[in-house]
Amino acid sequence: LMKAGIVLAAVAVLANIPYAALIALFDYDDVLRRPAGEVLELFHAGGSPLVLAWWTFGLSAIGFALAAMLLGEALKDGKAKLASGITLFGVLSGVFQASALLRWTFAIPSIAAAYVQAGEGSAERAAAISSYEALNMFAGVGIGEHMGQVLLMVWTLGVGLALMRMGGAMKWIGAAGLVTLPLWVIGQTELLSLSMPEVPVIEVLPYAFMGWELWLLVVGVALVVLAVALVFNSVWATAMVALSLPVAVAGVGAAFWVDAGVALVAVGA
């Protein structure tokens, strides 16, 4: 429980560092709604710092896959009894999302360079735009976002129900995860509308992601507290950990945000 809790909490906190860098360097994710040519020019102008931000963001999804495996191992017995198939859904979600995100590290740079180097209105620019749009729709929207989120929904459902079976505070924490599911489901309209314009769009995915990420952090902290309670069998020790962990997590997160801000200022300079 301790390992799974620490990794879950760490993933929830640390994934925000490259995400913040992408917002600062690339105006993510609003930039993805701009014309393809403009996106490619902005990406090319971002240079290596932007590519590195995408690489670390992709690796954060691998971190979630690792966390899903550790949680599956921790909850394989007892009241929770998390099925191995549910763990597989979580691992695959992380792998799918990482594979899609890493296109920005290993595929988009050459496409962006080809677009910038080609002449205005040339066939080369048209080919670069076609390559970007096809890759973005299949790998980005289809594999990373849609399939990644569908798998994530199944994992969240399974983990939420498993935590509820543990009883006590974990019952309510598990139920909180289930509350995010309708937002994920409704949010798929935004993705499906890209290929079926008649589908009404309800933009709730950012709220689904933020709510789910907060839930993941709470699950991680709760598992660490539970592990301490089981090891020491002490109400006092458990209470101290319960009170100190949120402060510690917030402090670590703030430190990384400050470091990321300093790095971005240095890059801008």
Side-chain angles (χ1 to χ4, degrees), residues 88-261:
L88 180 61
F89 274 99
V91 173
L92 288 176
S93 175
V95 171
F96 277 29
Q97 291 182 63
S99 300
L101 290 171
L102 290 175
R103 76 188 187 278
W104 291 97
T105 301
F106 299 106
I108 300 299
S110 60
I111 296 175
Y115 178 85
V116 171
Q117 293 167 8
E120 185 73 30
S122 65
E124 288 80 6
R125 280 205 164 185
I129 289 177
S130 295
S131 298
Y132 166 78
E133 291 179 339
L135 186 61
N136 196 48
M137 282 296 294
F138 177 70
V141 177
I143 301 299
E145 292 187 73
H146 182 58
M147 286 304 300
Q149 290 170 15
V150 168
L151 293 167
L152 188 67
M153 282 187 271
V154 177
W155 180 82
T156 301
L157 175 62
V159 171
L161 293 175
L163 294 178
M164 291 179 69
R165 289 193 292 271
M166 296 175 69
M170 300 304 291
K171 178 179 180 179
W172 298 104
I173 293 174
L178 303 185
V179 171
T180 67
L181 295 178
L183 295 177
W184 286 115
V185 173
I186 295 171
Q188 299 311 300
T189 60
E190 184 178 349
L191 306 179
L192 293 173
S193 68
L194 297 174
S195 55
M196 295 181 285
E198 66 274 12
V199 174
V201 177
I202 306 176
E203 297 185 4
V204 294
L205 283 178
Y207 303 105
F209 179 76
M210 287 187 290
W212 179 85
E213 195 172 49
L214 177 60
W215 172 74
L216 195 71
L217 177 60
V218 171
V219 171
V221 171
L223 289 176
V224 172
V225 172
L226 182 59
V228 171
L230 292 174
V231 171
F232 293 100
N233 193 25
S234 167
V235 175
W236 172 255
T238 303
M240 290 299 98
V241 173
L243 291 173
S244 64
L245 266 178
V247 177
V249 169
V252 171
F256 275 105
W257 273 85
V258 170
D259 288 344

